[in-house]
Amino acid sequence: MKHIVKTMIAVLALTGFAATSQAADFKPRIVRFGYGLNEDSNQGRAVKYFADELGKLSGGKWKVKGFGAASLGSDPQMQNALIGGAQEMMVGSTATLVGIVSDFGVYDLPFIFANEKEADTVLDGPFGQKLLDSLQPKGMVGLVYWENGFRDLTNSKRSINKMEDMQGIKLRVMQNPVYIDMFKGFGANAVPLAFSELFAALETKTVDGQENPLTTIESSKFYEVQKYLTITHHVYSPWIVTVSKKWYDGLSADEKAALKKAATDSRDFERKDSREASAKALTFLKQKGMQVTTVSEPELARMRATTTPSVDKFAADGHAQVVKDLQAELAKLRK
Ligand code: KDG
């Protein structure tokens, strides 16, 4: 009798197991995940984390392949590949999305977020979700935001301690009107250029400087071609993880749930990893010989005052509501 009972328990367990694995509806898939930074960067490490996580959640049926260093193209080129269904996934800057949904320019407004906590709360809350959702009619699905980080200045010509020191500096900026207006307001000669072309432009002195978070300055080895680093934290820059809507619409409910879970888990991993890497980057860059200055609070206040026209121009260009909504979210946080 005992033998029969044991056999029945084994059969039930196996049936139950089989039912569970059949309930999880995953097809074998290859997912091409493109990104712009090097594999050995906060962005590359998070793509690998995401790939490992989704491999586990799909029972090994999904193979996520990371393509770094803009090997699948620049951010705008990858965005078009997702919209056309030629590529499944990418992570890039929200700043390069303004050609698809111009309201994303709100995240480029200078001195908007005071710290990472504010950024996390707004990006992961209803305000950030509304912008993620605005991509769907355009052929992309926004999953989550990762952290690019607070941006600082580097250049090869001189130490920058005040706005006037930027006069005449050919400064590469992202291909985005808010950045162009902001740095023109500081007195620099703003040169919009794709990230994938930036190192070569710095090396050949086509441009004198650029602005990016410390983690990017380190992982992209800008310290090899830039002598001066100025800590300004002038913008908090998000990355955004997106998928092709053409591809996404063909996924099962289980596959969509696993994709979202892996994306959310990778967001939390990436932010922690980025902040740890950022805390170490300044020491590393000093050891690599960069001359570091930090702009004083009074000088930052002067810089902030000159950015008002660029903020007003962005609002006047049909973005008054999104600016108002973001300022309302921040006011709630700061009560
Ligand atoms: O994929 C890399 C870029 O999207 C990102 O690093 C953008 O900060 C950026 C820059 O300066 O282009």
Side-chain angles (χ1 to χ4, degrees), residues 256-275:
K256 287 177 182 175
L259 186 66
K260 183 66 180 174
K261 174 155 178 34
T264 305
D265 292 351
S266 68
R267 174 198 67 193
D268 299 342
F269 165 85
E270 194 273 344
R271 284 173 177 167
K272 183 172 181 296
D273 176 67
S274 273
R275 288 162 193 173

Side-chain angles (χ1 to χ4, degrees), residues 36-37 43 75 91-93 148 151 172 174 195 212 239:
L37 269 65
Q43 199 175 64
D75 285 12
V91 58
S93 174
N148 190 357
R151 304 178 75 93
R172 176 270 178 181
M174 288 192 278
F195 183 78
N212 250 293
W239 279 322

Side-chain angles (χ1 to χ4, degrees), residues 25-31 54 62 88-89 141 143 243-260:
D25 176 12
F26 288 92
K27 289 191 176 69
R29 296 184 192 273
I30 303 279
V31 180
L54 203 42
W62 282 34
E88 291 76 31
M89 281 190 80
V141 177
L143 294 179
V243 301
S244 163
K245 188 165 189 315
K246 278 184 181 172
W247 173 75
Y248 182 82
D249 287 347
L251 302 182
S252 69
D254 286 337
E255 289 177 317
K256 287 177 182 175
L259 186 66
K260 183 66 180 174

Side-chain angles (χ1 to χ4, degrees), residues 34-37 43 70 73-75 78 90-96 148 151 172-175 179 193-196 198 210-213 216 222 237-239:
Y35 60 98
L37 269 65
Q43 199 175 64
S74 65
D75 285 12
M78 291 195 285
M90 70 170 284
V91 58
S93 174
T94 54
T96 56
N148 190 357
R151 304 178 75 93
R172 176 270 178 181
V173 295
M174 288 192 278
Q175 297 149 299
Y179 278 85
L193 191 67
F195 183 78
S196 46
L198 178 50
Q210 64 84 45
E211 45 83 54
N212 250 293
T216 299
F222 291 155
S237 204
W239 279 322

Side-chain angles (χ1 to χ4, degrees), residues 32-258:
R32 290 159 296 184
F33 193 158
Y35 60 98
L37 269 65
N38 293 327
E39 191 178 339
D40 181 17
S41 68
N42 51 340
Q43 199 175 64
R45 291 190 293 272
V47 169
K48 185 178 181 322
Y49 181 93
F50 173 87
D52 294 345
E53 181 86 353
L54 203 42
K56 286 180 217 152
L57 290 170
S58 67
K61 288 189 179 172
W62 282 34
K63 303 277 184 269
V64 179
K65 294 179 182 293
F67 292 87
S71 51
L72 293 185
S74 65
D75 285 12
Q77 287 166 333
M78 291 195 285
Q79 289 156 11
N80 290 330
L82 261 59
I83 290 165
Q87 180 180 327
E88 291 76 31
M89 281 190 80
M90 70 170 284
V91 58
S93 174
T94 54
T96 56
L97 269 174
V98 294
I100 295 170
V101 174
S102 59
D103 270 359
F104 273 99
V106 74
Y107 291 135
D108 306 312
L109 296 180
F111 304 108
I112 278 279
F113 291 120
N115 52 56
E116 287 94 349
K117 189 171 182 333
E118 284 191 353
D120 295 355
T121 307
V122 170
L123 292 169
D124 299 347
F127 179 88
Q129 186 58 50
K130 187 175 175 187
L131 274 172
L132 290 176
D133 294 345
S134 72
L135 287 167
Q136 295 218 17
K138 307 291 185 180
M140 297 170 76
V141 177
L143 294 179
V144 290
Y145 297 96
W146 288 355
E147 175 161 292
N148 190 357
F150 281 101
R151 304 178 75 93
D152 299 309
L153 291 177
T154 67
N155 85 90
S156 57
K157 292 184 81 85
R158 66 179 84 101
S159 177
I160 291 177
N161 296 282
K162 59 185 184 305
M163 222 172 359
E164 288 72 13
D165 296 337
M166 278 191 252
Q167 292 290 334
I169 293 267
K170 288 182 289 183
L171 195 93
R172 176 270 178 181
V173 295
M174 288 192 278
Q175 297 149 299
N176 169 299
V178 171
Y179 278 85
I180 295 168
D181 293 340
M182 178 187 351
F183 280 93
K184 277 184 178 167
F186 292 155
N189 173 3
V191 180
L193 191 67
F195 183 78
S196 46
E197 296 162 38
L198 178 50
F199 187 92
L202 294 169
E203 191 173 36
T204 56
K205 300 273 192 292
T206 307
V207 294
D208 304 316
Q210 64 84 45
E211 45 83 54
N212 250 293
L214 297 178
T215 43
T216 299
I217 298 166
E218 177 181 353
S219 66
S220 297
K221 298 184 171 28
F222 291 155
Y223 53 84
E224 291 180 352
V225 289
Q226 298 278 269
K227 183 174 180 180
Y228 303 101
L229 168 60
T230 308
I231 307 299
T232 52
H233 278 23
H234 50 276
V235 171
Y236 176 88
S237 204
W239 279 322
I240 180 171
V241 180
T242 52
V243 301
S244 163
K245 188 165 189 315
K246 278 184 181 172
W247 173 75
Y248 182 82
D249 287 347
L251 302 182
S252 69
D254 286 337
E255 289 177 317
K256 287 177 182 175

